[in-house]
């Protein structure tokens, strides 16, 4: 198999406006120690909640309310909000690309879309 197209796709993603917007937003947050700490704390709490879910532990209402309040708090910071939005957009692109790439396997296994 020739991987040239995969490398071309990676370059296209890196050259995309969405990727560049994500990098710029991330750099702006990194330049602000308070925003950087806030975002890191939020991501750590998200990770802990995901690990709890994946390990089969019950995620209670208090856990969900805590992460929701933290999300609302970080959303108030304009630069963090830009990072999260750019991350969401880039994540959607990656999800779409993965779906497109997986299509031949779905046909192979008889999975219809």
């Amino acid at each position: 198999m020739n991987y040239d197209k995969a490398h071309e796709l990676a370059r296209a993603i890196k050259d995309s406006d969405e990727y560049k917007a994500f990098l710029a937003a991330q750099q702006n947050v990194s330049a602000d120690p308070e925003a950087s700490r806030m975002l890191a704390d939020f991501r750590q709490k998200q990770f802990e909640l995901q690990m709890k879910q994946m390990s089969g532990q019950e995620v209670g209402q208090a856990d969900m309310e805590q992460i929701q309040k933290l999300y609302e708090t970080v959303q108030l910071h304009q630069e963090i909000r830009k990072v999260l939005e750019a991350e969401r957009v880039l994540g959607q692109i990656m999800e779409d690309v993965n779906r497109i790439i997986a299509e031949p396997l779905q046909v192979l296994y008889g999975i219809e879309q």
Side-chain angles (χ1 to χ4, degrees):
M1 168 168 250
N2 184 339
Y3 290 95
D4 290 344
K5 293 293 182 185
H7 290 288
E8 186 179 324
L9 175 58
R11 280 189 300 275
I13 291 169
K14 287 179 185 176
D15 289 341
S16 72
D17 291 340
E18 294 84 358
Y19 184 81
K20 290 175 184 176
F22 172 73
L23 287 180
Q26 188 68 40
Q27 288 172 346
N28 288 340
V29 166
S30 293
D32 179 342
E34 182 180 340
S36 186
R37 181 194 52 77
M38 286 174 64
L39 184 57
D41 288 347
F42 173 69
R43 287 193 168 146
Q44 179 63 37
K45 296 289 186 198
Q46 264 187 324
F47 177 75
E48 290 169 3
L49 188 63
Q50 289 171 343
M51 293 285 76
K52 193 173 182 179
Q53 289 174 319
M54 289 174 60
S55 69
Q57 296 179 27
E58 184 165 335
V59 176
Q61 184 67 26
D63 291 326
M64 296 304 290
E65 287 175 4
Q66 180 187 24
I67 197 73
Q68 181 61 35
K69 285 180 184 175
L70 191 53
Y71 178 75
E72 290 169 3
T73 301
V74 297
Q75 281 282 0
L76 294 174
H77 193 289
Q78 181 179 348
E79 296 304 320
I80 294 175
R81 189 171 55 248
K82 287 178 184 178
V83 167
L84 296 175
E85 177 59 19
E87 192 173 64
R88 185 195 65 74
V89 170
L90 192 57
Q92 182 62 54
I93 290 169
M94 297 306 293
E95 189 177 308
D96 292 345
V97 167
N98 285 330
R99 184 178 35 78
I100 293 165
I101 291 170
E103 188 177 306
L105 294 176
Q106 291 174 339
V107 171
L108 181 67
Y109 292 111
I111 301 170
E112 297 296 323
Q113 287 188 348

